[in-house]
Amino acid sequence: MSDKINDILQKKRILILGFGKEGQSSYQLLRSFFPELVLGIADQDDGLPDKHPQLKDDPFLIMAYGDKYLENCSSYDLVIKSPGIPYEKLGKYCDAEKITSQTDLFLRAYSKQVIGVTGTKGKSTTSSLIHHILKQAGRKVILSGNIGIPPLSPEANLDSDTIVVFEMSSHQLEHITIAPRIAIILNIFPEHLDHYKDFTAYKMAKFNISLLQTEDSKLIYNADDPIIGELLKEYPAVKDQQSFSLHTDGEHAAFLEQPDIVLADEAEDIVIPVDSAKDLPGEHNLSNMMAAMLACRDCGLEAEEIKHGLSTYERLEHRLELAGTFDGVRFYNDSIATIPEATIEALRTLEKVELLILGGHDRGLDYSILQQWLLSHPVPVLLFMGDAGGRMYNEWKQSLADSTDCILVSGMKEALQIAGTRLSDGDVCLLSPAAASYGMFRNFEERGDLYKKMAAEFKRLPSGGDLK
């Protein structure tokens, strides 16, 4: 353990708030270094003791679970909070200065080794792409955060020359005290509005990745995103800034000059063909590629090393993933699309979609941008599920009636049954919900997995055939 982290933790009563993947790794880490330190675990899940029976054998552990799990937070000196628990829940139970997180503790010790990646969309792809390119080039690198191992996990096994690629959500960035040396901001769209007071609070949580950098840091950002531009004007910084853009412009550190991506260099520009990447379709992925390429160049990689990494990268599941062709119909799984802008990007990339499945948990997002896209780029059949789907259906059905068949469905099973009566050989069926999965599924992965399972069993039926 880093001496800095050790100094923060020792001789304190520590509460681990939330016992998911990250909370469990916090417990393992603390117990490995402080076997007799009094620890608390608090989690809303009243089945905590049964799910983790090994905890009952820890004589220095205090557990609180169920509806009253927050009531004793104030009796601890330090609270290590899991990212998904809103700070607003803690106000009357715990002083803000006591609250920290794995992310903040990790950055206090290792920020100079970290490439932090944030954005409303694309951060998993960009983080995994950077990790892949660096690993293929022989660098010692780990992937951490939302898609990798928890930052303070004992298995991280960091030393001074390890590069840490860290996917960072707004929840993780909300109350950090120091930011990564290399920070990447891909985009900012309205999301998680059920978690934050307003969109401004969400934007500022994301922008902490820039605000809290030191002067010797580097910011890589999307010059095409107007919200990022506004924030940089409002909060200018003297640190090194590198922008990337889909437009040909010599002012940017990386830009698109079809059929190439150009990395500007004082000596000689680095030119890498777009088609070096075999499995990153869509305009949005060009932005992700440019961000990754700039970060890898900063780590000392040559053009050929970057090209090799791009050519061998395979996209993550649930990101415009071809689930397969079944009974003549191509099924695409884009369950990660939880905002309307992501669904538009999927439709733009595929160009021709005959049936689109939308909806899920309603977080109050404005869907008018997607409605306008569908008015000018009609999809023959739209299936709507969940609360968000119900709202879209009610708001859109009249305006889309001339070009689109809008149908409310109870869930994925009915959606695929209807698809069986509407789709023909060569058609495309797309799951790109523009809404979160909660309420109907545990997460977007479960939603995508069910879609793929049902797609694999798909059979076309005569129009009006039996759906039972």
Side-chain angles (χ1 to χ4, degrees):
M1 178 186 288
S2 160
D3 290 340
K4 289 183 181 179
I5 298 177
N6 188 67
D7 291 343
I8 294 168
L9 298 180
Q10 66 179 343
K11 298 181 180 178
K12 287 185 171 66
R13 282 172 55 88
I14 300 172
L15 175 67
I16 298 168
L17 185 56
F19 205 63
K21 182 180 178 181
E22 188 167 302
Q24 292 169 41
S25 72
S26 294
Y27 174 74
Q28 292 167 7
L29 181 85
L30 289 169
R31 269 293 166 255
S32 66
F33 286 95
F34 307 111
E36 296 185 357
L37 184 71
V38 173
L39 291 177
I41 293 175
D43 194 285
Q44 193 170 11
D45 184 358
D46 55 13
L48 181 72
D50 295 328
K51 292 179 181 177
H52 305 278
Q54 75 280 7
L55 297 179
K56 299 173 184 176
D57 298 327
D58 186 340
F60 301 100
L61 180 65
I62 302 168
M63 285 191 284
Y65 45 89
D67 293 339
K68 298 181 179 180
Y69 74 109
L70 294 174
E71 289 190 352
N72 293 319
C73 286
S74 60
S75 65
Y76 292 88
D77 303 313
L78 193 70
V79 176
I80 302 177
K81 185 185 80 69
S82 293
I85 300 175
Y87 273 85
E88 288 71 19
K89 273 192 171 185
L90 307 182
K92 65 180 181 179
Y93 298 105
C94 184
D95 296 333
E97 60 268 19
K98 290 184 176 183
I99 300 171
T100 187
S101 64
Q102 271 211 26
T103 300
D104 187 46
L105 289 171
F106 183 82
L107 288 173
R108 290 191 210 183
Y110 298 106
S111 63
K112 293 188 182 301
Q113 298 172 229
V114 175
I115 302 171
V117 182
T118 199
T120 305
K121 288 297 167 188
K123 54 186 177 291
S124 293
T125 293
T126 305
S127 299
S128 62
L129 179 58
I130 295 169
H131 175 260
H132 176 80
I133 295 171
L134 290 172
K135 190 172 182 180
Q136 289 290 304
R139 300 301 195 270
K140 186 172 183 182
V141 58
I142 65 165
L143 183 61
S144 189
N146 290 346
I147 61 169
I149 60 177
L152 291 180
S153 171
E155 63 190 285
N157 192 27
L158 298 177
D159 54 36
S160 59
D161 63 348
T162 303
I163 301 169
V164 181
V165 184
F166 200 139
E167 181 196 339
M168 310 186 88
S169 69
S170 58
H171 306 320
Q172 290 166 313
L173 290 166
E174 192 170 7
H175 286 274
I176 59 171
T177 56
I178 186 171
R181 186 185 74 82
I182 300 177
I184 297 174
I185 309 180
L186 298 166
N187 46 58
I188 301 178
F189 300 117
E191 194 177 33
H192 299 301
L193 300 186
D194 53 338
H195 182 96
Y196 292 93
K197 181 176 67 174
D198 52 31
F199 184 41
T200 298
Y202 171 72
K203 287 190 294 187
M204 295 313 298
K206 286 284 190 192
F207 202 61
N208 273 341
I209 202 171
S210 172
L211 285 176
L212 296 169
Q213 284 186 292
T214 56
E215 289 187 7
D216 60 346
S217 300
K218 178 168 292 186
L219 175 66
I220 297 171
Y221 70 93
N222 185 354
D224 299 334
D225 188 294
I227 292 175
I228 296 174
E230 291 169 7
L231 289 169
L232 287 171
K233 284 181 182 177
E234 189 172 354
Y235 302 98
V238 297
K239 60 181 175 287
D240 184 7
Q241 297 183 23
Q242 294 190 354
S243 62
F244 57 90
S245 173
L246 294 174
H247 306 291
T248 302
D249 188 337
E251 294 181 0
H252 302 298
F255 55 90
L256 184 63
E257 197 170 67
Q258 287 284 13
D260 303 313
I261 290 173
V262 179
L263 303 184
D265 191 274
E266 291 181 3
E268 184 178 0
D269 289 350
I270 298 171
V271 178
I272 297 179
V274 168
D275 63 8
S276 296
K278 308 300 183 187
D279 199 26
L280 286 167
E283 193 173 82
H284 60 296
N285 274 324
L286 294 177
S287 295
N288 297 337
M289 287 165 58
M290 284 189 271
M293 291 158 72
L294 288 173
C296 290
R297 183 178 67 172
D298 191 72
C299 293
L301 267 61
E302 301 291 338
E304 288 303 315
E305 292 176 306
I306 295 173
K307 285 169 64 176
H308 175 70
L310 289 170
S311 69
T312 55
Y313 176 79
E314 296 180 1
R315 84 182 87 164
L316 301 171
E317 274 191 296
H318 312 295
R319 283 128 177 114
L320 207 55
E321 170 193 13
L322 178 59
T325 300
F326 305 105
D327 205 7
V329 175
R330 282 182 293 148
F331 289 85
Y332 284 89
N333 166 32
D334 194 39
S335 184
I336 189 67
T338 56
I339 59 173
E341 291 85 353
T343 299
I344 291 171
E345 218 34 77
L347 292 168
R348 180 186 285 122
T349 300
L350 291 178
E351 296 184 351
K352 188 173 183 292
V353 173
E354 280 73 28
L355 187 147
L356 171 63
I357 302 171
L358 290 163
H361 174 60
D362 191 352
R363 296 168 296 165
L365 298 180
D366 180 1
Y367 286 112
S368 58
I369 185 175
L370 179 54
Q371 180 185 14
Q372 292 304 312
W373 174 269
L374 290 166
L375 281 168
S376 57
H377 304 82
V379 172
V381 182
L382 297 179
L383 304 183
F384 301 90
M385 62 184 184
D387 294 338
R391 180 159 64 89
M392 287 183 236
Y393 173 80
N394 289 325
E395 292 176 359
W396 299 357
K397 59 183 177 181
Q398 288 186 338
S399 65
L400 297 178
D402 291 341
S403 59
T404 301
D405 195 359
C406 296
I407 305 171
L408 273 176
V409 298
S410 58
M412 195 71 72
K413 181 179 179 180
E414 186 180 1
L416 270 292
Q417 287 176 332
I418 290 175
T421 68
R422 300 302 179 99
L423 296 176
S424 302
D425 192 51
D427 284 351
V428 169
C429 179
L430 170 64
L431 170 69
S432 189
S437 56
Y438 312 125
M440 301 182 75
F441 304 94
R442 286 178 300 175
N443 48 45
F444 74 86
E445 292 97 340
E446 183 181 68
R447 176 169 63 187
D449 287 341
L450 179 61
Y451 173 75
K452 290 195 291 184
K453 179 179 181 293
M454 290 187 170
E457 300 167 352
F458 173 80
K459 294 292 182 185
R460 284 186 285 136
L461 299 171
S463 181
D466 187 5
L467 297 181
K468 296 182 180 179

